[in-house]
Each structure stands twice: as structure tokens, then as C-alpha cells.
Amino acid sequence: MKRRSFVALASATTAFAGTAHAQGTWPDKPITMIVPAPPGGGTDLVARLYSDLLSQELGQQVLVDNKGGGNGNIGTALVARAKPDGYTLLMQYSAYHAANPALIKDLNWKPDDFVGVAMGAVAPHVIVIAKKVPADDLKSFIAYAQANKGKLNYASVGAGSVPHLGGVLLNKAAGIDLTHIPYKGAGPATQDLVAGQVELMIVTPPSVSGHIRSGNVKALALASDTRHPAFPEIPTAAEAGLPGFVLDGWFALFAPAGTPQPIVDKLNAAMRKIGKMEAVVARASQLGTVLKDWSPGEMNSFAKGEVETWGKVIRDNNITFAE
């Protein structure tokens, strides 16, 4: 056999063996799922919805590690730089993935640093106000805000987040002037909303579902085309008098680019199996989210489209971190 042919055959054999090894023995140690946000928010809740069941499905412990800060960029960058071996994963929030590339000039990661594994959950955003605010529906809140221009604040889970962008769009659509107060995650933002330190927040239902049900905050409208079965009493924004105001957030599992496809496929199969479990479906609905049975290809295509869509919203509205 010629040397060149022998080398080519040896390389192909090695590659095949590596792929077979990755598919056959992975995982053989614990897996870390990084959440680029503090505990208590939607991203954290979705990560924990899956982590224990993933541990059972994969036969290795899946550890949730909260790495909040930097508008999600600290945790996201950690995974972008991680070895693509399936042992470091990212439960990502849509705005971090789709908005930060357009908002931050010198971002220390890029969307192409990741490969989509599976969709964790999709969540419409709900407009909620502090209990102290003298309004019980969206129309009366808008009237109150118009009478108090520049005096009211809205919280977000961070600059560039969907709640931030949603607040900018709400100001324009309703002709009001709420001041943006960014927080490091939904947990602390929700705490200040409940305490009355801020008047309004637009956020995914998992972060505030308990407070809505307990009456600690007032839900004005769901920024969705349809009502959610978990909150049938909350009208859509269109029903509440603000047609066209639709905001969806999502929480998806990503791996570093270059992760072997057999590992991605195994993770995807486990996530999709979990997403069909009756208890998980019930819990997701209770949190106000919707589950999607997507392949890695569908996840990647969707994520790419979101980067383009939200980048355009940011550029067209001249949105910056300072707003």
C-alpha cells in the first residue's frame, strides 16, 4: 500500500474510532450546565426543570452552575471557550444569544461559537405591575403613566434583554415614558417589583407566576397572540388594547461549536424525551411556557433567525445599554 493511501486510511480509521468512542462511552463523568444568570429567573427555572431528569437519562449527574453577570456574557463566554466534549453545556436565554451581538461592539463570544442542542421552553412575556400602582388593567396603567411621564420605572433582567427591548417598544407603542432600570437577572428584578421599588416589568411567566397567583403583583396582559392555558384570566395585549405587541422569550440548550454530532444527538434525544413526560409538560404549563420538540437542525435554524430579527429591532430603534 502506498504511504499516502495508508496515512489517509489511518486518519479515517482514527476519526471513526473517535466518533464511535464519543457515541458509545459519553458521558463517563458529571456534566456542567451553565446558566448565565442568577438563581430564581426563567433561565434557571428551565435549567432545573431538565437537569435532574437529564441526569437520569444520561446516567451521569448534570450540575447546574449559575454564572450570572455581564448581561449574561460571563457564563456564555465560559461555555464558548470550553472544550467541545459534551461536558460543559449552556442553558441560554434568548436575549443574551440574539440581542447581545447587536448591542455590544466588542463581544467576547459570537453566536457561531455554539451549536444548538434542543429547545428547553418558549415563553410569551407578561406585563406585570407592582401591587401599589393604582391600575388594574393595561388601559388604566397607560393612562396613569401618561399622567406621570418620567416618574415611573420599569425593571428588566439586564440591558439588551427582551424585557428591556419590550419596555422600549411599550414606551413607543403606548406613548409613555418609563425609565429603564436594569438588574442582574429576573430574581432581583422581581424582588424589587414585589417590593414596589419599580412600577412595571415585562418578563417571562416562570419568573413571576407564583407572585401573580398570590396577588403580589398584578398581571395586565400577555404579549402573545393567544391566551395561555395556565393563565386564562390574563388577556392578550391586543385584547387589552395594544394590538401587535407580541414578545416571545426562549430558553435553549447549547454546546460549544465542534461538539461531536453523536453527543449532540444523544443530548437532543434525552431533552426531547423529557419534554414529552407528563409531569414536565404539566410543570412547563404551570410556569407559563410552551415546549418544542425540535431537532438540533431546527434549533440552529431558529436561533440564527432570532439573531437576525432582534438585531434589526435594536438597530431600527437605536436601542443601547443606556436606554
Side-chain angles (χ1 to χ4, degrees):
M1 182 182 290
K2 292 182 180 180
R3 176 174 174 76
R4 182 178 299 174
S5 298
F6 177 79
V7 171
L9 178 60
S11 297
T13 302
T14 300
F16 176 79
T19 300
H21 176 79
Q23 187 173 19
T25 64
W26 180 92
D28 58 10
K29 63 180 181 179
I31 298 164
T32 299
M33 182 190 292
I34 288 181
V35 173
T43 316
D44 181 66
L45 288 170
V46 173
R48 294 178 191 280
L49 178 66
Y50 284 94
S51 59
D52 287 345
L53 292 169
L54 271 176
S55 298
Q56 295 175 27
E57 290 297 319
L58 299 173
Q60 289 288 340
Q61 191 171 12
V62 177
L63 305 168
V64 174
D65 187 6
N66 295 85
K67 296 289 186 184
N71 200 50
N73 293 318
I74 292 175
T76 301
L78 282 173
V79 182
R81 294 192 295 267
K83 187 177 179 181
D85 57 6
Y87 290 103
T88 305
L89 306 173
L90 176 71
M91 182 59 78
Q92 181 66 301
Y93 168 52
S94 55
Y96 294 159
H97 187 84
N100 283 2
L103 282 168
I104 301 173
K105 184 177 180 181
D106 298 315
L107 197 63
N108 56 355
W109 59 271
K110 57 186 184 300
D112 288 345
D113 289 334
F114 303 94
V115 59
V117 173
M119 177 59 76
V122 177
H125 282 66
V126 62
I127 303 171
V128 290
I129 58 174
K131 193 174 180 179
K132 71 170 188 177
V133 177
D136 292 312
D137 54 42
L138 187 58
K139 286 183 178 179
S140 60
F141 175 80
I142 290 173
Y144 176 71
Q146 288 173 339
N148 291 274
K149 277 198 171 183
K151 298 179 182 178
L152 308 181
N153 300 319
Y154 78 94
S156 83
V157 301
S161 63
V162 176
H164 172 196
L165 304 181
V168 172
L169 297 176
L170 179 63
N171 274 341
K172 293 186 176 184
I176 57 180
D177 185 23
L178 307 178
T179 300
H180 175 223
I181 308 295
Y183 288 80
K184 293 182 179 180
T190 301
Q191 288 175 9
D192 271 11
L193 179 72
V194 172
Q197 299 300 312
V198 291
E199 282 76 22
L200 178 142
M201 181 162 67
I202 302 171
V203 69
T204 52
S207 300
V208 291
S209 57
H211 294 296
I212 292 172
R213 292 190 173 94
S214 67
N216 288 332
V217 300
K218 293 184 278 188
L220 302 184
L222 196 68
S224 176
D225 290 327
T226 58
R227 294 195 184 201
H228 195 284
F231 301 98
E233 73 284 1
I234 302 177
T236 65
E239 291 171 333
L242 202 64
F245 192 76
V246 176
L247 292 169
D248 280 329
W250 46 266
F251 311 96
L253 190 65
F254 288 86
T259 299
Q261 192 61 42
I263 292 177
V264 172
D265 290 341
K266 191 170 183 177
L267 278 165
N268 176 267
M271 288 283 290
R272 293 168 79 174
K273 181 178 178 181
I274 292 167
K276 295 183 178 75
M277 293 179 180
E278 187 175 335
V280 174
V281 172
R283 176 59 175 157
S285 178
Q286 184 184 42
L287 291 172
T289 61
V290 178
L291 303 180
K292 299 288 185 179
D293 184 29
W294 287 355
S295 69
E298 290 171 317
M299 183 64 242
N300 275 315
S301 178
F302 174 78
K304 188 174 293 185
E306 286 286 275
V307 172
E308 295 172 0
T309 297
W310 283 108
K312 187 176 188 303
V313 169
I314 290 164
R315 291 187 293 272
D316 288 354
N317 289 278
N318 299 311
I319 297 173
T320 68
F321 277 116
E323 290 197 51

PDB file of all heavy atoms in Angstrom, residues 172-204:
ATOM      1  N   LYS A 172     -42.934  53.347  23.141  1.00  0.00           N
ATOM      2  CA  LYS A 172     -43.266  53.912  21.833  1.00  0.00           C
ATOM      3  C   LYS A 172     -44.698  53.600  21.442  1.00  0.00           C
ATOM      4  O   LYS A 172     -45.418  54.460  20.912  1.00  0.00           O
ATOM      5  CB  LYS A 172     -42.284  53.390  20.782  1.00  0.00           C
ATOM      6  CG  LYS A 172     -40.862  53.898  20.986  1.00  0.00           C
ATOM      7  CD  LYS A 172     -39.936  53.500  19.854  1.00  0.00           C
ATOM      8  CE  LYS A 172     -38.552  54.101  20.053  1.00  0.00           C
ATOM      9  NZ  LYS A 172     -37.646  53.817  18.915  1.00  0.00           N
ATOM     10  N   ALA A 173     -45.132  52.368  21.678  1.00  0.00           N
ATOM     11  CA  ALA A 173     -46.478  51.967  21.268  1.00  0.00           C
ATOM     12  C   ALA A 173     -47.561  52.667  22.075  1.00  0.00           C
ATOM     13  O   ALA A 173     -48.628  52.995  21.540  1.00  0.00           O
ATOM     14  CB  ALA A 173     -46.622  50.454  21.400  1.00  0.00           C
ATOM     15  N   ALA A 174     -47.298  52.880  23.366  1.00  0.00           N
ATOM     16  CA  ALA A 174     -48.326  53.447  24.259  1.00  0.00           C
ATOM     17  C   ALA A 174     -48.163  54.947  24.478  1.00  0.00           C
ATOM     18  O   ALA A 174     -49.007  55.562  25.126  1.00  0.00           O
ATOM     19  CB  ALA A 174     -48.283  52.723  25.602  1.00  0.00           C
ATOM     20  N   GLY A 175     -47.075  55.522  23.979  1.00  0.00           N
ATOM     21  CA  GLY A 175     -46.860  56.955  24.177  1.00  0.00           C
ATOM     22  C   GLY A 175     -46.578  57.317  25.616  1.00  0.00           C
ATOM     23  O   GLY A 175     -47.057  58.340  26.128  1.00  0.00           O
ATOM     24  N   ILE A 176     -45.790  56.472  26.306  1.00  0.00           N
ATOM     25  CA  ILE A 176     -45.441  56.726  27.701  1.00  0.00           C
ATOM     26  C   ILE A 176     -43.928  56.859  27.839  1.00  0.00           C
ATOM     27  O   ILE A 176     -43.193  56.691  26.856  1.00  0.00           O
ATOM     28  CB  ILE A 176     -45.992  55.623  28.630  1.00  0.00           C
ATOM     29  CG1 ILE A 176     -45.479  54.238  28.200  1.00  0.00           C
ATOM     30  CG2 ILE A 176     -47.518  55.643  28.612  1.00  0.00           C
ATOM     31  CD1 ILE A 176     -45.992  53.090  29.067  1.00  0.00           C
ATOM     32  N   ASP A 177     -43.460  57.146  29.026  1.00  0.00           N
ATOM     33  CA  ASP A 177     -42.031  57.406  29.217  1.00  0.00           C
ATOM     34  C   ASP A 177     -41.540  56.754  30.509  1.00  0.00           C
ATOM     35  O   ASP A 177     -41.193  57.426  31.479  1.00  0.00           O
ATOM     36  CB  ASP A 177     -41.783  58.921  29.258  1.00  0.00           C
ATOM     37  CG  ASP A 177     -40.304  59.272  29.321  1.00  0.00           C
ATOM     38  OD1 ASP A 177     -39.481  58.418  28.907  1.00  0.00           O
ATOM     39  OD2 ASP A 177     -39.972  60.377  29.786  1.00  0.00           O
ATOM     40  N   LEU A 178     -41.512  55.416  30.508  1.00  0.00           N
ATOM     41  CA  LEU A 178     -40.991  54.687  31.660  1.00  0.00           C
ATOM     42  C   LEU A 178     -39.474  54.663  31.592  1.00  0.00           C
ATOM     43  O   LEU A 178     -38.890  54.481  30.527  1.00  0.00           O
ATOM     44  CB  LEU A 178     -41.528  53.256  31.668  1.00  0.00           C
ATOM     45  CG  LEU A 178     -43.052  53.059  31.575  1.00  0.00           C
ATOM     46  CD1 LEU A 178     -43.379  51.576  31.560  1.00  0.00           C
ATOM     47  CD2 LEU A 178     -43.758  53.761  32.722  1.00  0.00           C
ATOM     48  N   THR A 179     -38.833  54.816  32.734  1.00  0.00           N
ATOM     49  CA  THR A 179     -37.371  54.788  32.807  1.00  0.00           C
ATOM     50  C   THR A 179     -36.875  53.366  33.032  1.00  0.00           C
ATOM     51  O   THR A 179     -37.363  52.663  33.921  1.00  0.00           O
ATOM     52  CB  THR A 179     -36.864  55.693  33.948  1.00  0.00           C
ATOM     53  OG1 THR A 179     -37.298  57.038  33.705  1.00  0.00           O
ATOM     54  CG2 THR A 179     -35.344  55.666  34.031  1.00  0.00           C
ATOM     55  N   HIS A 180     -35.900  52.965  32.256  1.00  0.00           N
ATOM     56  CA  HIS A 180     -35.370  51.607  32.330  1.00  0.00           C
ATOM     57  C   HIS A 180     -34.419  51.445  33.517  1.00  0.00           C
ATOM     58  O   HIS A 180     -33.474  52.212  33.680  1.00  0.00           O
ATOM     59  CB  HIS A 180     -34.626  51.278  31.027  1.00  0.00           C
ATOM     60  CG  HIS A 180     -33.947  49.944  31.042  1.00  0.00           C
ATOM     61  ND1 HIS A 180     -32.675  49.749  30.552  1.00  0.00           N
ATOM     62  CD2 HIS A 180     -34.361  48.733  31.500  1.00  0.00           C
ATOM     63  CE1 HIS A 180     -32.340  48.477  30.697  1.00  0.00           C
ATOM     64  NE2 HIS A 180     -33.338  47.841  31.269  1.00  0.00           N
ATOM     65  N   ILE A 181     -34.676  50.434  34.334  1.00  0.00           N
ATOM     66  CA  ILE A 181     -33.789  50.077  35.445  1.00  0.00           C
ATOM     67  C   ILE A 181     -33.323  48.639  35.226  1.00  0.00           C
ATOM     68  O   ILE A 181     -34.084  47.697  35.436  1.00  0.00           O
ATOM     69  CB  ILE A 181     -34.501  50.180  36.816  1.00  0.00           C
ATOM     70  CG1 ILE A 181     -35.174  51.544  36.984  1.00  0.00           C
ATOM     71  CG2 ILE A 181     -33.513  49.905  37.948  1.00  0.00           C
ATOM     72  CD1 ILE A 181     -34.216  52.722  37.032  1.00  0.00           C
ATOM     73  N   PRO A 182     -32.073  48.429  34.776  1.00  0.00           N
ATOM     74  CA  PRO A 182     -31.595  47.060  34.525  1.00  0.00           C
ATOM     75  C   PRO A 182     -31.150  46.373  35.812  1.00  0.00           C
ATOM     76  O   PRO A 182     -30.580  46.989  36.704  1.00  0.00           O
ATOM     77  CB  PRO A 182     -30.409  47.275  33.585  1.00  0.00           C
ATOM     78  CG  PRO A 182     -29.893  48.633  33.937  1.00  0.00           C
ATOM     79  CD  PRO A 182     -31.090  49.447  34.365  1.00  0.00           C
ATOM     80  N   TYR A 183     -31.420  45.078  35.890  1.00  0.00           N
ATOM     81  CA  TYR A 183     -30.985  44.253  37.019  1.00  0.00           C
ATOM     82  C   TYR A 183     -30.133  43.105  36.499  1.00  0.00           C
ATOM     83  O   TYR A 183     -30.130  42.814  35.299  1.00  0.00           O
ATOM     84  CB  TYR A 183     -32.191  43.697  37.774  1.00  0.00           C
ATOM     85  CG  TYR A 183     -32.950  44.715  38.585  1.00  0.00           C
ATOM     86  CD1 TYR A 183     -33.862  45.578  37.975  1.00  0.00           C
ATOM     87  CD2 TYR A 183     -32.762  44.827  39.962  1.00  0.00           C
ATOM     88  CE1 TYR A 183     -34.563  46.523  38.707  1.00  0.00           C
ATOM     89  CE2 TYR A 183     -33.465  45.764  40.709  1.00  0.00           C
ATOM     90  CZ  TYR A 183     -34.359  46.602  40.076  1.00  0.00           C
ATOM     91  OH  TYR A 183     -35.053  47.539  40.812  1.00  0.00           O
ATOM     92  N   LYS A 184     -29.461  42.429  37.392  1.00  0.00           N
ATOM     93  CA  LYS A 184     -28.646  41.272  37.018  1.00  0.00           C
ATOM     94  C   LYS A 184     -29.461  39.994  37.157  1.00  0.00           C
ATOM     95  O   LYS A 184     -29.215  39.151  38.002  1.00  0.00           O
ATOM     96  CB  LYS A 184     -27.382  41.212  37.887  1.00  0.00           C
ATOM     97  CG  LYS A 184     -26.409  42.359  37.630  1.00  0.00           C
ATOM     98  CD  LYS A 184     -25.164  42.222  38.475  1.00  0.00           C
ATOM     99  CE  LYS A 184     -24.180  43.357  38.189  1.00  0.00           C
ATOM    100  NZ  LYS A 184     -22.952  43.249  39.013  1.00  0.00           N
ATOM    101  N   GLY A 185     -30.492  39.899  36.335  1.00  0.00           N
ATOM    102  CA  GLY A 185     -31.313  38.710  36.349  1.00  0.00           C
ATOM    103  C   GLY A 185     -32.736  38.985  36.809  1.00  0.00           C
ATOM    104  O   GLY A 185     -33.038  40.029  37.408  1.00  0.00           O
ATOM    105  N   ALA A 186     -33.621  38.007  36.529  1.00  0.00           N
ATOM    106  CA  ALA A 186     -35.036  38.160  36.858  1.00  0.00           C
ATOM    107  C   ALA A 186     -35.293  38.094  38.359  1.00  0.00           C
ATOM    108  O   ALA A 186     -36.241  38.717  38.853  1.00  0.00           O
ATOM    109  CB  ALA A 186     -35.850  37.088  36.150  1.00  0.00           C
ATOM    110  N   GLY A 187     -34.464  37.326  39.085  1.00  0.00           N
ATOM    111  CA  GLY A 187     -34.671  37.186  40.530  1.00  0.00           C
ATOM    112  C   GLY A 187     -34.670  38.525  41.259  1.00  0.00           C
ATOM    113  O   GLY A 187     -35.667  38.900  41.900  1.00  0.00           O
ATOM    114  N   PRO A 188     -33.565  39.286  41.181  1.00  0.00           N
ATOM    115  CA  PRO A 188     -33.535  40.580  41.872  1.00  0.00           C
ATOM    116  C   PRO A 188     -34.517  41.596  41.301  1.00  0.00           C
ATOM    117  O   PRO A 188     -35.055  42.420  42.049  1.00  0.00           O
ATOM    118  CB  PRO A 188     -32.084  41.047  41.705  1.00  0.00           C
ATOM    119  CG  PRO A 188     -31.513  40.230  40.595  1.00  0.00           C
ATOM    120  CD  PRO A 188     -32.253  38.934  40.620  1.00  0.00           C
ATOM    121  N   ALA A 189     -34.771  41.535  39.998  1.00  0.00           N
ATOM    122  CA  ALA A 189     -35.739  42.456  39.405  1.00  0.00           C
ATOM    123  C   ALA A 189     -37.131  42.189  39.958  1.00  0.00           C
ATOM    124  O   ALA A 189     -37.872  43.115  40.300  1.00  0.00           O
ATOM    125  CB  ALA A 189     -35.738  42.310  37.881  1.00  0.00           C
ATOM    126  N   THR A 190     -37.489  40.920  40.059  1.00  0.00           N
ATOM    127  CA  THR A 190     -38.804  40.551  40.588  1.00  0.00           C
ATOM    128  C   THR A 190     -38.945  40.955  42.052  1.00  0.00           C
ATOM    129  O   THR A 190     -40.017  41.417  42.480  1.00  0.00           O
ATOM    130  CB  THR A 190     -39.019  39.032  40.439  1.00  0.00           C
ATOM    131  OG1 THR A 190     -38.921  38.674  39.058  1.00  0.00           O
ATOM    132  CG2 THR A 190     -40.389  38.628  40.960  1.00  0.00           C
ATOM    133  N   GLN A 191     -37.882  40.792  42.818  1.00  0.00           N
ATOM    134  CA  GLN A 191     -37.922  41.180  44.231  1.00  0.00           C
ATOM    135  C   GLN A 191     -38.261  42.652  44.383  1.00  0.00           C
ATOM    136  O   GLN A 191     -39.088  43.033  45.225  1.00  0.00           O
ATOM    137  CB  GLN A 191     -36.568  40.895  44.891  1.00  0.00           C
ATOM    138  CG  GLN A 191     -36.281  39.419  45.105  1.00  0.00           C
ATOM    139  CD  GLN A 191     -34.883  39.170  45.641  1.00  0.00           C
ATOM    140  OE1 GLN A 191     -34.172  40.098  46.022  1.00  0.00           O
ATOM    141  NE2 GLN A 191     -34.484  37.909  45.671  1.00  0.00           N
ATOM    142  N   ASP A 192     -37.649  43.503  43.559  1.00  0.00           N
ATOM    143  CA  ASP A 192     -37.920  44.941  43.655  1.00  0.00           C
ATOM    144  C   ASP A 192     -39.308  45.295  43.124  1.00  0.00           C
ATOM    145  O   ASP A 192     -39.918  46.261  43.587  1.00  0.00           O
ATOM    146  CB  ASP A 192     -36.844  45.734  42.907  1.00  0.00           C
ATOM    147  CG  ASP A 192     -35.664  46.082  43.811  1.00  0.00           C
ATOM    148  OD1 ASP A 192     -35.594  45.531  44.936  1.00  0.00           O
ATOM    149  OD2 ASP A 192     -34.807  46.894  43.411  1.00  0.00           O
ATOM    150  N   LEU A 193     -39.796  44.536  42.160  1.00  0.00           N
ATOM    151  CA  LEU A 193     -41.158  44.769  41.680  1.00  0.00           C
ATOM    152  C   LEU A 193     -42.155  44.442  42.788  1.00  0.00           C
ATOM    153  O   LEU A 193     -43.077  45.220  43.056  1.00  0.00           O
ATOM    154  CB  LEU A 193     -41.450  43.916  40.446  1.00  0.00           C
ATOM    155  CG  LEU A 193     -42.855  44.060  39.864  1.00  0.00           C
ATOM    156  CD1 LEU A 193     -43.002  45.412  39.172  1.00  0.00           C
ATOM    157  CD2 LEU A 193     -43.164  42.926  38.893  1.00  0.00           C
ATOM    158  N   VAL A 194     -41.974  43.302  43.428  1.00  0.00           N
ATOM    159  CA  VAL A 194     -42.860  42.904  44.523  1.00  0.00           C
ATOM    160  C   VAL A 194     -42.794  43.923  45.661  1.00  0.00           C
ATOM    161  O   VAL A 194     -43.816  44.241  46.290  1.00  0.00           O
ATOM    162  CB  VAL A 194     -42.491  41.494  45.037  1.00  0.00           C
ATOM    163  CG1 VAL A 194     -43.265  41.151  46.308  1.00  0.00           C
ATOM    164  CG2 VAL A 194     -42.765  40.447  43.958  1.00  0.00           C
ATOM    165  N   ALA A 195     -41.602  44.452  45.918  1.00  0.00           N
ATOM    166  CA  ALA A 195     -41.425  45.436  46.994  1.00  0.00           C
ATOM    167  C   ALA A 195     -41.901  46.825  46.611  1.00  0.00           C
ATOM    168  O   ALA A 195     -41.943  47.725  47.459  1.00  0.00           O
ATOM    169  CB  ALA A 195     -39.949  45.495  47.386  1.00  0.00           C
ATOM    170  N   GLY A 196     -42.270  47.023  45.337  1.00  0.00           N
ATOM    171  CA  GLY A 196     -42.755  48.331  44.902  1.00  0.00           C
ATOM    172  C   GLY A 196     -41.662  49.323  44.588  1.00  0.00           C
ATOM    173  O   GLY A 196     -41.943  50.523  44.454  1.00  0.00           O
ATOM    174  N   GLN A 197     -40.440  48.874  44.446  1.00  0.00           N
ATOM    175  CA  GLN A 197     -39.331  49.774  44.114  1.00  0.00           C
ATOM    176  C   GLN A 197     -39.365  50.184  42.651  1.00  0.00           C
ATOM    177  O   GLN A 197     -38.817  51.221  42.271  1.00  0.00           O
ATOM    178  CB  GLN A 197     -37.989  49.101  44.427  1.00  0.00           C
ATOM    179  CG  GLN A 197     -37.810  48.735  45.886  1.00  0.00           C
ATOM    180  CD  GLN A 197     -37.877  49.946  46.796  1.00  0.00           C
ATOM    181  OE1 GLN A 197     -37.239  50.966  46.552  1.00  0.00           O
ATOM    182  NE2 GLN A 197     -38.680  49.840  47.842  1.00  0.00           N
ATOM    183  N   VAL A 198     -39.970  49.368  41.808  1.00  0.00           N
ATOM    184  CA  VAL A 198     -40.213  49.703  40.407  1.00  0.00           C
ATOM    185  C   VAL A 198     -41.685  49.443  40.114  1.00  0.00           C
ATOM    186  O   VAL A 198     -42.335  48.660  40.818  1.00  0.00           O
ATOM    187  CB  VAL A 198     -39.323  48.886  39.447  1.00  0.00           C
ATOM    188  CG1 VAL A 198     -37.869  49.296  39.561  1.00  0.00           C
ATOM    189  CG2 VAL A 198     -39.475  47.390  39.707  1.00  0.00           C
ATOM    190  N   GLU A 199     -42.189  50.108  39.085  1.00  0.00           N
ATOM    191  CA  GLU A 199     -43.637  50.021  38.828  1.00  0.00           C
ATOM    192  C   GLU A 199     -44.027  48.904  37.867  1.00  0.00           C
ATOM    193  O   GLU A 199     -45.133  48.363  37.968  1.00  0.00           O
ATOM    194  CB  GLU A 199     -44.143  51.369  38.272  1.00  0.00           C
ATOM    195  CG  GLU A 199     -44.329  52.451  39.313  1.00  0.00           C
ATOM    196  CD  GLU A 199     -43.000  53.073  39.770  1.00  0.00           C
ATOM    197  OE1 GLU A 199     -42.000  52.985  39.006  1.00  0.00           O
ATOM    198  OE2 GLU A 199     -42.970  53.648  40.874  1.00  0.00           O
ATOM    199  N   LEU A 200     -43.178  48.568  36.922  1.00  0.00           N
ATOM    200  CA  LEU A 200     -43.588  47.633  35.868  1.00  0.00           C
ATOM    201  C   LEU A 200     -42.432  46.748  35.455  1.00  0.00           C
ATOM    202  O   LEU A 200     -41.260  47.130  35.538  1.00  0.00           O
ATOM    203  CB  LEU A 200     -44.123  48.412  34.653  1.00  0.00           C
ATOM    204  CG  LEU A 200     -44.566  47.618  33.416  1.00  0.00           C
ATOM    205  CD1 LEU A 200     -45.816  48.245  32.788  1.00  0.00           C
ATOM    206  CD2 LEU A 200     -43.462  47.533  32.361  1.00  0.00           C
ATOM    207  N   MET A 201     -42.759  45.561  34.987  1.00  0.00           N
ATOM    208  CA  MET A 201     -41.768  44.678  34.389  1.00  0.00           C
ATOM    209  C   MET A 201     -42.453  43.842  33.319  1.00  0.00           C
ATOM    210  O   MET A 201     -43.604  43.433  33.465  1.00  0.00           O
ATOM    211  CB  MET A 201     -41.118  43.773  35.440  1.00  0.00           C
ATOM    212  CG  MET A 201     -40.051  42.855  34.859  1.00  0.00           C
ATOM    213  SD  MET A 201     -38.916  42.144  36.096  1.00  0.00           S
ATOM    214  CE  MET A 201     -40.035  41.088  37.006  1.00  0.00           C
ATOM    215  N   ILE A 202     -41.747  43.617  32.226  1.00  0.00           N
ATOM    216  CA  ILE A 202     -42.188  42.710  31.178  1.00  0.00           C
ATOM    217  C   ILE A 202     -41.245  41.517  31.249  1.00  0.00           C
ATOM    218  O   ILE A 202     -40.038  41.665  31.053  1.00  0.00           O
ATOM    219  CB  ILE A 202     -42.122  43.376  29.792  1.00  0.00           C
ATOM    220  CG1 ILE A 202     -42.989  44.637  29.758  1.00  0.00           C
ATOM    221  CG2 ILE A 202     -42.573  42.404  28.709  1.00  0.00           C
ATOM    222  CD1 ILE A 202     -42.814  45.478  28.502  1.00  0.00           C
ATOM    223  N   VAL A 203     -41.779  40.341  31.531  1.00  0.00           N
ATOM    224  CA  VAL A 203     -40.899  39.219  31.856  1.00  0.00           C
ATOM    225  C   VAL A 203     -41.590  37.911  31.478  1.00  0.00           C
ATOM    226  O   VAL A 203     -42.814  37.878  31.287  1.00  0.00           O
ATOM    227  CB  VAL A 203     -40.546  39.248  33.363  1.00  0.00           C
ATOM    228  CG1 VAL A 203     -41.761  38.918  34.210  1.00  0.00           C
ATOM    229  CG2 VAL A 203     -39.353  38.362  33.702  1.00  0.00           C
ATOM    230  N   THR A 204     -40.824  36.847  31.360  1.00  0.00           N
ATOM    231  CA  THR A 204     -41.421  35.546  31.073  1.00  0.00           C
ATOM    232  C   THR A 204     -42.167  35.032  32.308  1.00  0.00           C
ATOM    233  O   THR A 204     -41.733  35.243  33.438  1.00  0.00           O
ATOM    234  CB  THR A 204     -40.347  34.533  30.663  1.00  0.00           C
ATOM    235  OG1 THR A 204     -39.305  34.523  31.628  1.00  0.00           O
ATOM    236  CG2 THR A 204     -39.774  34.876  29.296  1.00  0.00           C
TER     237      THR A 204
END
